[in-house]
Amino acid sequence: MRGIVRAMATTLGTFVRGPVTREYPERHRPIPQRDRAFPLLLWDFDTDEPFCTGCHACERACPVECMTVLMKDNPAHTSLGGTSKRRKIIDKFWIDYARCMRCNICVEVCNFDAIAMNNTWSGHEISVYDRADLVMDLPQLLAQHKAGAIDEWVAP
Amino acid sequence: MVANTHEQEFETQELLINMGPQHPSTHGVFRMVLGVDGEVVTDVVPHIGYMHRGAEKLCETMDFRQGVGYMDRTEYLANFNAELSYVLAVEKLAGIEVPERAQWVRMILCELNRLSSHFMFTGAFGTDVGVFGTAFVYSFREREVLLDLFEEITGDRLMYAYFRPGGLAWEVPDNFESRVHEVLLSAERGIRDMDGLLTQNEIFLARTKGVGAISAADAIDWGMSGPSLRASGVPLDLRRDDPYLYYPQVKFDVITGEAGDVFDRYHVRLKEMRESVRIIEQCMERLADGPILPERLPRMLRTPPGEIYERTEAPRGEYGIYLVSQGGNRPYRLKIRSACLSNLQALRDMTIGHYVADAVVILGSIDIVLCEVDR
């Protein structure tokens, strides 16, 4: 009997505490800056082109091989009359979000700080009806940073 | 027609009952075929392998940094401990000196992970015993606080991928120390709550005392380890008996039980949580500024040829990594010594002779993680 009374006292004790449950779809809790959703590419506003040069470093380091990278000569390079210092630039980039295991290795190996993990709610809420829709192409990967909708965190 | 009289012996027949793999109380996809005679279990045949993803084989195609992520996925309730075994094995083989601060942070995170894992156990075990819901949501509330801290540090709630051969992936946040103290306060309250809710509860005691007992000799024979072994009275704790990190520098007690029954397995874990809090408090005093990675770490880590077995005390027991290297940047062979797989072998001995209803309780008391069993 004593044990049951003690258990009841514990239960009653929680009545004075506030609930920790959050009503998720209506309310989004703030997520920490280091939060890792899926990787996306960053946009260089100074030269108006992606940071990514298509060097394949992330593609080689990816444990699950979810990336496909193609590079091209940069048409905006200074030698061609442009303003950019990047000789090569990304041509096509696909990341299969369905395969990605969010290990952050692509961000660590990037020499140009061109890729970051999405740390906003839009990185988590990407349900689709077709798996093929989870293969993101270059415009989709760049869109969020281009729109200024992310405060990215890259480990120093 | 002859009516049955009380004097007449009933002829009973053994019946096979299938339990799982989609049974809510098997903690994952685990199937047992129970032979029952009336209400009494006469035989248990466990079927494992539903969660097999070939983590060991996959790791052979991964370099040492990539492999860390796969360790997370074998032991998803104590990821830091699983990562630790792996990185310790790689470090020892490659001969890397790990900076002091990284080691202390690792220790704190591993003990916090032990707390969160044991909270998961008390909650799930409470549900198995029949204290439905209450114990589960209470312990999950406390676990949530711990996961929030892990998310602030590593960026992910479950698959941390935070340890690296040589140290840590990145520095902990500036408010790390104050946050750990906050979390410890809440964890202590959580332990008190679970204690009050379950330990002296008469219904809980009736379901757990004397159920599923296993003797110390049998437990050793089956290769059990961790809290399940200590509940039988064997004081084996790798943190003390085969020390790694800076465990020799902190004071803690090795908790043992006496009867080795389901209640002892629960009680040992509950007391262990208090020890974990003690360890973390000592670690926080010793934590000093410094680098988190060695000064000279090659871009691509290579190990000399050799083999090594490195084991750590994970919340469920001895989590060992056997690593064979033939030189190069990836293991030639990787074997994961899973604590749960060995602990699960004793299930048959524990369950035979008890009621069918207790089979769930006994299985819950081993605290299995099916991803670790099947790898």
Side-chain angles (χ1 to χ4, degrees), chain A residues 58-123:
Chain A
C58 51
E59 190 187 17
R60 277 201 302 272
C62 181
V64 289
E65 296 168 6
C66 69
M67 295 174 166
T68 312
V69 183
L70 289 173
M71 68 156 67
K72 65 175 178 189
D73 289 332
N74 191 357
H77 187 247
T78 40
S79 65
L80 297 171
T83 53
S84 170
K85 283 179 181 164
R86 293 186 184 87
R87 191 173 293 279
K88 299 280 182 187
I89 198 141
I90 184 73
D91 183 23
K92 294 193 168 74
F93 203 122
W94 290 278
I95 300 181
D96 187 352
Y97 278 4
R99 291 191 76 163
C100 175
M101 66 180 221
R102 308 186 301 168
C103 60
N104 204 52
I105 288 178
C106 52
V107 182
E108 278 167 46
V109 296
C110 185
N111 297 315
F112 304 98
D113 290 344
I115 192 166
M117 301 305 265
N118 195 340
N119 59 359
T120 62
W121 270 105
S122 62

Side-chain angles (χ1 to χ4, degrees), chain B residues 280-336:
Chain B
I280 298 166
E281 275 165 357
Q282 293 174 57
C283 291
M284 291 308 287
E285 287 167 18
R286 306 286 294 276
L287 188 67
D289 285 342
I292 52 159
L293 280 172
E295 272 178 26
R296 289 201 301 182
L297 197 65
R299 233 180 135 74
M300 178 60 80
L301 188 67
R302 285 167 209 282
T303 54
E307 56 186 273
I308 192 161
Y309 179 67
E310 188 66 35
R311 53 185 189 167
T312 60
E313 181 77 23
R316 267 160 283 281
E318 176 184 333
Y319 189 94
I321 295 285
Y322 175 63
L323 189 79
V324 182
S325 169
Q326 291 194 333
N329 61 356
R330 54 192 63 181
Y332 175 73
R333 172 80 172 98
L334 185 89
K335 169 83 180 83
I336 301 168

Side-chain angles (χ1 to χ4, degrees), chain B residues 98-168:
Chain B
V98 183
E100 206 168 307
R101 179 178 169 82
Q103 298 280 50
W104 286 116
V105 172
R106 279 178 181 182
M107 236 167 112
I108 293 166
L109 291 178
C110 283
E111 290 304 320
L112 283 171
N113 215 171
R114 192 185 308 278
L115 282 175
S116 80
S117 171
H118 282 353
F119 271 128
M120 174 80 202
F121 164 78
T122 47
F125 185 57
T127 314
D128 288 342
V129 172
V131 194
F132 188 80
T134 318
F136 191 73
V137 288
Y138 280 25
S139 61
F140 260 57
R141 179 181 58 197
E142 307 305 335
R143 182 167 172 265
E144 189 68 20
V145 179
L146 287 156
L147 291 193
D148 279 349
L149 174 67
F150 294 152
E151 193 187 7
E152 282 166 35
I153 296 167
T154 68
D156 216 320
R157 293 169 62 79
L158 275 180
M159 303 301 165
Y160 310 122
Y162 182 58
F163 294 170
R164 294 281 182 271
L168 307 171

Side-chain angles (χ1 to χ4, degrees), chain B residues 120-265:
Chain B
M120 174 80 202
F121 164 78
T122 47
F125 185 57
T127 314
D128 288 342
V129 172
V131 194
F132 188 80
T134 318
F136 191 73
V137 288
Y138 280 25
S139 61
F140 260 57
R141 179 181 58 197
E142 307 305 335
R143 182 167 172 265
E144 189 68 20
V145 179
L146 287 156
L147 291 193
D148 279 349
L149 174 67
F150 294 152
E151 193 187 7
E152 282 166 35
I153 296 167
T154 68
D156 216 320
R157 293 169 62 79
L158 275 180
M159 303 301 165
Y160 310 122
Y162 182 58
F163 294 170
R164 294 281 182 271
L168 307 171
W170 48 79
E171 184 58 87
V172 293
D174 294 335
N175 61 353
F176 177 66
E177 292 186 23
S178 61
R179 284 287 289 133
V180 171
H181 284 303
E182 263 175 54
V183 165
L184 280 189
L185 281 180
S186 118
E188 272 172 339
R189 193 176 65 182
I191 298 167
R192 225 167 31 238
D193 277 0
M194 298 315 291
D195 197 15
L197 206 57
L198 296 177
T199 310
Q200 291 176 354
N201 190 325
E202 279 84 359
I203 302 167
F204 182 79
L205 291 179
R207 285 299 303 278
T208 55
K209 277 268 184 192
V211 173
I214 189 161
S215 69
D218 281 347
I220 294 170
D221 283 351
W222 281 114
M224 289 172 76
S225 55
S228 305
L229 176 68
R230 290 195 286 276
S232 299
V234 185
L236 177 79
D237 190 326
L238 298 177
R239 290 174 289 175
R240 185 195 63 181
D241 299 326
D242 184 11
Y244 51 97
L245 297 183
Y246 293 139
Y247 278 108
Q249 298 183 33
V250 293
K251 285 196 186 70
F252 63 97
D253 296 329
V254 176
I255 310 289
T256 53
E258 283 158 11
D261 58 3
V262 168
F263 178 79
D264 270 4
R265 286 197 279 278

